[in-house]
Amino acid sequence: MSNGPTASDLLARLEAVSKRYGGKEGLHEVSLELPQGQAIGLLGLNGAGKTTLLKLLAGLLVPSQGRVEVLGGRPRAMRAHVAYLSDAETYPWLSPADGERLMQGLYPDFNRVRYKELLAFLEVPARPSRSMSRGQRARLRLAMVLAREARLFLLDEPLAGIDLISRDRILKTLVHQWREEATLVLSTHEVAEAEGIFDRAVFLKEGRVVLDASAEELRARGRSVRETFVEVLA
Amino acid sequence: MSALPTLLWLEFRKSQSFVAVLAGILLLTAVGLARLGANPLNQPEEEAIALFSVAATVGSTLLVVALFLSARQDGTGLLPSVPGGLVHQLARFVYWGVLGTLFALVLTGLLWAYFDRVVPGMPGLSSTMTLLFYGLGLFWLPGVAYLLLAFSYVQSYQLSRLGWLAGLVAFLGFFSLAGALVQVGSKVAYAALPPLTLSLQSLNNRLDDIRLPLEPLLLSLLLAVGLLLLAGRVWDEVEA
């Protein structure tokens, strides 16, 4: 059992947060604490509430009920410290050079050197998005967001469209490198890729947290992430 | 406000192909007017005005379509932005305001240059341009602010059928509102502020003065500011 986070290393917090879209509930009384320096996997089937949860933390949505706090303030006011990668497509004309120009102008914490390293690591071609494959576009968006020196990274299905072999390599590097300096929350419904990578896994089902367990706790259960996923979500 | 240059650049990148088409329209108009000048047998003045009207209509329609398509590209929600909604909308307003103004400026300049060659006693270029800027301030700038608000609203709230009806009423209502503002402005014209006086030379070389009231212009610009503030608020509302 891991020790709970202290007030000083707590980066973000959700307190009994619900989000309703008209009559439909996207999240139901979710409470979570995100400490500094953790890699957290947000796991669930499509429509489980992963994107809603990430958007609430990014300040893109306001909760219908409950409280969301990031770095001690309202998420909207903390955007300068939060890097969010949505699952939306990018501009069709956007090339890696355009990405650099755009990010540098909009985000003071954008690191050009890191961006160039990421472009090389992720093997992003130097051409407009419209002539890239889906996976290459996903890599470009990932490089743009990860090149920020943010305190909290919120990545919504960042590896969608990337081939399986590259995905594993990227994810391992990404998690090991970034959790040293920031908290990483990554949503996925590809449970296989969550195995042995995250410090903690939060399982969502129909807008509710059905299991929130550290890697040690999962190991103590004697089950893999995939088996746990099937057990708690099926 | 340091994000403003980047956002202006973003607007340009999104609309680059449209800018090229607008430049093409101006080039074709210039070529057309030059050919008219070389063939004075018909009624070149009427043909020049017809050419100008076609170029102005196509160009302004294209500008509105380009503004819409450009605004729609941001609907993809690529990245949540640190700058507030007003900065985003201000960048769009400045970019499209300036682009439309430049287009109108060059087009009017071409027509003026043509008439200056073939018609004796044309009004001076500075008077023509003052008149043009007056018209742009009266219609184009509040029009851009209105379009930004309308497009942001439609994109953000995904209007239903009834919403479209309300939107249509609002769209038509805007022109009535603008007309009423101009009327109100005209009624108090010359009363509050000194008018803008332009000396224009008529065809028979007699000097006429045109007095343009400043009140409607100021009301239009105030309307543009109000619409821009609303558009910025819609942006913030939808992002958070």
Side-chain angles (χ1 to χ4, degrees):
Chain A
M1 189 79 172
S2 63
N3 293 328
T6 62
S8 60
D9 64 8
L10 198 64
L11 206 72
R13 183 207 307 264
L14 289 97
E15 284 177 12
V17 168
S18 297
K19 179 65 189 175
R20 282 181 289 276
Y21 301 100
K24 189 178 174 293
E25 197 165 48
L27 274 188
H28 180 77
E29 293 192 0
V30 169
S31 293
L32 275 180
E33 290 189 335
L34 310 180
Q36 173 87 35
Q38 267 198 355
I40 300 161
L42 212 53
L43 308 172
L45 302 172
N46 289 332
K50 304 186 295 291
T51 299
T52 300
L53 200 152
L54 290 176
K55 282 187 170 176
L56 283 163
L57 284 166
L60 287 168
L61 289 175
V62 177
S64 310
Q65 196 182 308
R67 202 158 72 107
V68 184
E69 206 176 273
V70 174
L71 292 161
R74 287 190 317 114
R76 180 79 173 86
M78 294 297 157
R79 278 208 186 146
H81 308 288
V82 178
Y84 171 70
L85 174 66
S86 76
D87 55 356
E89 276 292 348
T90 181
Y91 300 111
W93 46 265
L94 194 96
S95 67
D98 290 323
E100 182 179 336
R101 171 83 176 79
L102 182 67
M103 296 299 287
Q104 204 167 18
L106 293 185
Y107 301 97
D109 62 357
F110 182 73
N111 184 327
R112 285 180 65 204
V113 177
R114 182 189 274 186
Y115 180 63
K116 295 211 185 300
E117 287 170 2
L118 279 161
L119 288 177
F121 169 68
L122 295 167
E123 296 166 352
V124 182
R127 54 174 185 252
S129 288
R130 71 166 71 87
S131 51
M132 290 183 191
S133 68
R134 187 172 167 230
Q136 288 169 331
R137 290 198 298 274
R139 289 163 193 244
L140 171 60
R141 289 187 294 129
L142 193 58
M144 285 165 66
V145 172
L146 289 178
R148 287 185 57 192
E149 290 173 350
R151 302 275 307 276
L152 176 63
F153 285 89
L154 306 168
L155 310 177
D156 195 359
E157 306 274 0
L159 307 174
I162 299 177
D163 63 275
L164 278 172
I165 296 167
S166 305
R167 192 187 288 189
D168 189 52
R169 180 176 67 96
I170 291 168
L171 193 62
K172 279 185 176 141
T173 310
L174 190 154
V175 167
H176 288 297
Q177 196 169 330
W178 263 265
R179 95 173 121 199
E180 297 297 321
E181 42 193 279
T183 295
L184 195 72
V185 185
L186 194 149
S187 83
T188 181
H189 58 264
E190 300 283 345
V191 283
E193 66 195 21
E195 202 72 62
I197 285 180
F198 297 115
D199 300 310
R200 181 175 156 201
V202 176
F203 293 82
L204 283 168
K205 184 181 182 182
E206 292 166 6
R208 289 171 162 81
V209 174
V210 286
L211 181 67
D212 178 3
S214 66
E216 294 82 29
E217 285 170 329
L218 284 177
R219 271 195 291 276
R221 291 164 68 103
R223 288 171 189 268
S224 67
V225 174
R226 179 190 286 271
E227 286 166 339
T228 310
F229 187 88
V230 173
E231 181 191 323
V232 299
L233 299 183
Chain B
M1 292 295 275
S2 61
L4 198 59
T6 303
L7 293 173
L8 287 171
W9 166 83
L10 182 63
E11 285 305 308
F12 172 68
R13 286 293 278 121
K14 285 191 291 182
S15 61
Q16 226 170 356
S17 46
F18 284 102
V19 174
V21 176
L22 285 172
I25 291 173
L26 291 173
L27 189 67
L28 284 175
T29 309
V31 171
L33 288 172
R35 288 176 67 87
L36 278 180
N39 178 21
L41 291 176
N42 300 324
Q43 289 179 309
E45 289 83 5
E46 283 179 16
E47 287 181 27
I49 287 175
L51 190 62
F52 172 82
S53 306
V54 169
T57 308
V58 173
S60 49
T61 308
L62 197 70
L63 273 165
V64 173
V65 171
L67 202 163
F68 173 68
L69 293 177
S70 166
R72 207 172 63 167
Q73 283 192 44
D74 288 329
T76 50
L78 174 64
L79 302 159
S81 165
V82 178
L86 186 60
V87 183
H88 281 275
Q89 298 288 22
L90 184 66
R92 288 172 165 192
F93 178 75
V94 170
Y95 178 79
W96 292 99
V98 168
L99 188 64
T101 301
L102 282 176
F103 179 76
L105 206 69
V106 176
L107 194 61
T108 309
L110 286 173
L111 190 71
W112 180 86
Y114 173 77
F115 274 104
D116 194 46
R117 273 191 292 125
V118 297
V119 178
M122 270 291 288
L125 184 61
S126 64
S127 300
T128 309
M129 289 303 162
T130 308
L131 202 60
L132 174 73
F133 279 119
Y134 184 84
L136 288 170
L138 207 59
F139 299 110
W140 176 241
L141 294 183
V144 170
Y146 176 69
L147 288 172
L148 287 176
L149 174 63
F151 292 159
S152 300
Y153 193 84
V154 168
Q155 259 185 309
S156 306
Y157 297 110
Q158 296 173 354
L159 298 187
S160 62
R161 279 184 186 173
L162 277 177
W164 276 109
L165 194 64
L168 185 67
V169 171
F171 183 75
L172 296 175
F174 170 75
F175 295 105
S176 307
L177 176 69
L181 276 173
V182 171
Q183 271 191 343
V184 169
S186 303
K187 277 181 186 165
V188 295
Y190 312 115
L193 293 169
L196 190 66
T197 307
L198 291 180
S199 292
L200 299 180
Q201 213 169 1
S202 64
L203 289 175
N204 56 8
N205 275 348
R206 210 185 71 224
L207 283 176
D208 289 330
D209 277 358
I210 290 186
R211 300 208 301 163
L212 301 170
L214 282 180
E215 286 86 349
L217 181 64
L218 285 179
L219 284 172
S220 282
L221 294 177
L222 276 176
L223 181 67
V225 171
L227 290 169
L228 201 60
L229 289 172
L230 272 176
R233 188 72 196 90
V234 169
W235 184 294
D236 285 336
E237 180 72 28
V238 174
E239 268 210 347

